């Protein structure tokens, strides 16, 4: 991240950093690279404008959030920080993660709020129109929600394009609020106080919104020699000699417009001399809302009155024998442990011993600095409190914020002020913030069971200790966070591969649970929703202890499922804990004879075990796919355990991927079921029994069953003593091929039963196929009619329209074609087809196949008509079923790969009179 600080007119009506202040922006971009830039999240000086550039890497999003938060915190815009951080996070994510370019962020302070601009360098992306027919983005997407959030949260927003960048800006208005106060820190020892020669005079000058003096106190008269009447109403620029602060280009007009400013400049006194002063400016509003600036001015040599002295005197950073010592070692007493948990535990133990306390605790701030997470404690039930979260701003005033030191004399007088210590017996507490470069990174506290144990002096000692340890803690935390993020990326990559590797619904559910247990949670339950009108159904339950799965499943089955709320993120669900607690209590009472009698004497064991399994925090994450909640992923911890924020964020990422995988499995299952149902409808439900003829059919569809094949067969009675049979192959697969298949099979039956001859039947079918227009497909078809005779033979009439020729196997083992090739159907209008007559003698076999049999390949080899004939010659004396099975085995063994085309085999054998 590179940061540029820009001063000047904060007017928001400009087109962005590139157009409004190119010189300053270039200066920021041309600055020497800072190897620690990505670790800084705030500027050393706060101005009316703050600009920063962020590299196209994932960690830039968190850095951008901190940059905006610290900028607005310095301007006093705490009321709109949360909305600004949320919008900035989404827009920077779109730029650095999804667009893959650097992001430029500019914060501009205005009289009524703040304008924030986020620009990327990918102008080719289009902004979709926001309408009912074209939504801005899909909730399934990981990005693209920034414009929706702008429309929902910002007072005004817009998108601007240039030839090299796209910029999204939004404006947040300040709410009306009362003028607040800010408390100072703990008292300083006398030897730490700044020295002053004689009486310290602090000139208090108030400047109205036009830059004119509206108030001038007695100290100002004494310092500069002007009476109040002679300067009131005059611009301060007439008196100020600007600038005296080294390295600044800020003018008096700009400084008076800033929310806060400190620095040196000069004031011309009544004798014309320039008096160097050190000034502290504070921007305020009067009851009518008009802005003004209060200036506190002291002589430049007395600047320590307005500027806090730097901490860390020599006596604080050295051993008693005078040797220099590392401040970290002074507090900890030994080098830092390699792991973060060890460092934190050592810190709380040293803090407890330093103030002779009964307990101590340390909390670390989350990335957005809205909550603190308990990471170490001593003298407290640490197992119960570990990873518990408390808000940074717990209430109004100084003592409700973790950003300031606080001393509580008696917690009994203010119950609930320190939620972490409720029910622990602690009475007096002192807490101090851990800060790195002005950013809150954590909180350190010590507590005692007696009231009134601590004062500001102890707070100062603890604050000095916290300052010494803060940087080491933050470095260790960042190291742990980097390891967690790398592990999270590997976890998500592996999870995506596993989920993408199956389209089976049950297997997807099992994978979801197995990936979360025990990596993210102790137990997991997956609820599914088949359609919007149905209730959630408990589909899968998993616990890291297999012996507890049945009890957990029984418990969850008895309580109402969580509400299917589409809001992203994890939400706490307390129903399992309450139900388990009540069940365990009832069982315990019955075992003691205090409740309803029961015949199950051993029920207390499983019930208490189940209550312990779900006694911790339980969260629910929605499974949202294609704008619909298709289920919920429920994660739970055992008794009194809580989830870490990093685990919840990882679980949210996993839930999005799992939801799409589960919905894909559902769609695939539905498609497969439809295809199989359609395929069955294109084949005859059952074959008729023909006296004097054995019939066997084998049909095998290629693929995974989700495509409708083009091969079909049929065998049906035409009239008394006559039967029609057909076997065909439509070009291609899918719905269009299925339409032609259905047309052919049903048309054959209708036309044949009208008494038409074979050629007439096929000619009319050809016309019907051509009438389909663009949906038509060419069709190869073998159609025949069979008449069993009294002498045991069978009369056969066939028409072979472009289909593989039927083969006749005689009793002596010879094989010959039973028809001649003719044109296929669906290509030309005028077909001249003819019918061929054959007689099947007793023992003869007629074999009809589709091209999936004859075109079976192994490399350059193909089975072909000759290969099929060779297989058929080995079938002499076999039944029709045995002939069809032998042909299928020969086809399957011809190549090592599975068949890639549908196959249909129709075998008919005339056994003769002796078979009856």
């Amino acid at each position: 991240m590179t940061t540029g600080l820009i001063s000047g007119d904060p007017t928001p009506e400009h087109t962005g950093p590139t157009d409004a202040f190119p010189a300053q922006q270039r200066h920021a971009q041309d600055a020497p690279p800072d190897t620690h830039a990505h670790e800084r999240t705030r500027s050393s000086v706060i101005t009316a404008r703050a600009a920063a550039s962020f590299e196209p890497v994932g960690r830039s999003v968190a850095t951008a959030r901190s940059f905006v938060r610290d900028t607005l915190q310095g301007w006093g815009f705490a009321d709109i920080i949360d909305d600004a951080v949320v919008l900035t996070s989404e827009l920077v994510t779109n730029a650095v993660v999804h667009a893959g370019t650097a992001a430029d962020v500019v914060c501009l302070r205005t009289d009524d709020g703040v304008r924030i601009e986020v620009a990327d360098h990918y102008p080719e992306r289009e902004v979709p129109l926001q309408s009912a027919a074209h939504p801005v983005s899909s909730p399934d997407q990981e990005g693209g929600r920034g414009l929706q959030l702008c429309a929902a949260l910002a007072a005004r927003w817009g998108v601007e394009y240039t030839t090299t960048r796209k910029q999204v800006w939004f404006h947040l208005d300040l709410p009306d609020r009362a003028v607040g106060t800010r408390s100072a820190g703990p008292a300083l020892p006398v030897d730490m106080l700044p020295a002053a020669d004689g009486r310290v005079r602090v000139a208090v000058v108030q400047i109205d919104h036009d830059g004119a003096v509206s108030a001038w106190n007695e100290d100002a008269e004494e310092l500069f020699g002007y009476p109040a009447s002679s300067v009131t109403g005059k611009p301060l620029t007439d008196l100020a000699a600007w600038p005296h602060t080294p390295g600044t280009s800020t003018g008096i007009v700009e400084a008076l417009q800033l929310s806060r400013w400190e620095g040196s400049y000069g004031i011309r006194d009544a004798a014309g001399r320039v008096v160097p002063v050190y000034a502290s400016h504070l921007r305020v509003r009067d009851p009518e809302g008009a802005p003004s600036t209060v200036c506190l001015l002291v002589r430049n040599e007395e600047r320590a009155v307005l500027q806090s002295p730097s901490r860390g005197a020599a006596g604080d950073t050295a051993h008693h024998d005078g040797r220099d010592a590392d401040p970290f070692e002074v507090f900890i007493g030994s080098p830092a442990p390699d792991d973060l948990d060890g460092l934190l535990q050592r810190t709380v133990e040293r803090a407890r011993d330093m103030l002779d306390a009964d307990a101590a605790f340390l909390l670390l701030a989350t990335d957005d600095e809205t909550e603190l997470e308990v990471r170490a404690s001593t003298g407290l039930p640490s197992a119960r409190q570990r990873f518990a979260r408390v808000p940074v701003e717990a209430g109004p005033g100084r003592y409700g914020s973790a950003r300031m030191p606080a001393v509580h004399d008696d917690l009994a007088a203010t119950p609930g002020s320190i939620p972490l210590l409720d029910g622990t017996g602690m009475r007096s507490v002192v807490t101090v913030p851990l800060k790195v470069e002005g950013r809150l990174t954590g909180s350190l506290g010590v507590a005692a069971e007696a009231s009134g144990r601590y004062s500001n002096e102890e707070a100062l000692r603890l604050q000095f200790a916290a300052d010494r340890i803060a940087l080491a803690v933050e470095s260790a935390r960042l190291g742990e966070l980097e390891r967690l993020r790398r592990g999270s990326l590997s976890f998500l990559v592996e999870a995506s591969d596993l989920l993408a590797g199956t389209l089976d619904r049950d297997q997807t559910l099992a994978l979801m649970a197995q990936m979360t247990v025990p990596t993210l949670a102790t137990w997991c339950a997956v609820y599914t929703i088949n359609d919007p009108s149905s209730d959630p159904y408990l589909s899968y339950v998993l616990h890291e202890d297999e012996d507890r799965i049945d009890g957990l499943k029984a418990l969850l089955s008895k309580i109402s499922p969580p509400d299917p709320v589409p809001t992203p993120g994890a939400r706490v669900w307390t129903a399992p804990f309450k139900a388990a607690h009540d069940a365990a209590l009832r069982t315990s009472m019955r075992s003691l004879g205090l409740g309803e009698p029961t015949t199950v004497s051993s029920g207390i064991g499983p019930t208490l075990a189940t209550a312990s399994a779900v006694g911790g925090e339980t969260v629910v994450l929605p499974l949202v796919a294609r704008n619909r909640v298709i289920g919920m992923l429920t994660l739970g911890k055992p008794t009194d355990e809580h989830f870490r924020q990093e685990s919840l964020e990882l679980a949210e990422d996993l839930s999005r991927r799992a939801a799409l995988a589960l919905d894909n499995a559902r769609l695939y299952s539905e498609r497969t079921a439809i295809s199989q149902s359609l395929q069955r409808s294109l084949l005859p439900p059952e074959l008729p029994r023909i006296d004097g003829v054995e019939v066997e059919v084998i049909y095998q569809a290629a693929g995974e069953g989700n495509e409708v094949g083009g091969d079909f067969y049929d065998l049906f009675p035409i009239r008394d003593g006559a039967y029609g049979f057909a076997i065909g192959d439509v070009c291609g697969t899918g719905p269009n091929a299925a339409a032609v298949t259905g047309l052919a099979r049903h048309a054959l039956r209708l036309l044949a039963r009208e008494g038409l001859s074979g050629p007439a039947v096929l000619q009319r079918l050809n016309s019907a196929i051509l009438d389909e227009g663009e949906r038509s497909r060419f069709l190869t078809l073998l159609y025949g009619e069979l008449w069993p005779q009294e002498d045991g033979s069978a009369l056969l009439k066939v028409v072979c329209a472009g289909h593989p020729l039927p083969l006749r196997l005689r009793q002596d083992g010879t094989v010959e074609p039973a028809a001649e090739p003719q044109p296929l159907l669906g290509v030309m209008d005028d077909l001249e087809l003819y019918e061929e007559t054959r007689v099947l003698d007793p023992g003869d076999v007629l074999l009809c196949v589709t091209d999936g049999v004859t075109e079976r390949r192994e490399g350059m080899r193909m089975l072909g008509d000759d290969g099929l004939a060779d297989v058929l010659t080995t079938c002499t004396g076999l039944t029709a079923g045995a002939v069809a099975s032998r042909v299928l085995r020969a086809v399957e063994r011809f190549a090592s790969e599975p068949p890639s085309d549908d196959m249909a085999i129709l075998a008919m054998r005339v056994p003769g009179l002796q078979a009856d």
Side-chain angles (χ1 to χ4, degrees), residues 58 180 267 287 418 478:
I267 296 291
I418 307 290
L478 292 176

Side-chain angles (χ1 to χ4, degrees), residues 731-785:
C731 175
T733 59
N736 290 335
V740 176
T741 300
L743 171 66
R745 194 174 75 82
H746 295 293
L748 282 174
R749 287 197 175 206
L750 291 174
L751 295 173
R753 287 170 177 172
E754 291 294 323
L756 299 176
S757 64
V761 169
L762 268 61
Q763 287 168 355
R764 296 195 181 187
L765 175 59
N766 180 67
S767 299
I769 294 174
L770 292 176
D771 289 342
E772 291 293 306
E774 294 181 355
R775 297 180 302 177
S776 66
R777 299 289 184 94
F778 64 80
L779 167 67
T780 67
L781 179 65
L782 173 66
Y783 173 73
E785 296 179 358

Side-chain angles (χ1 to χ4, degrees), residues 25 45 83 795 834:
Q25 185 68 16
V45 179
D83 289 348
L795 181 62
Y834 56 89

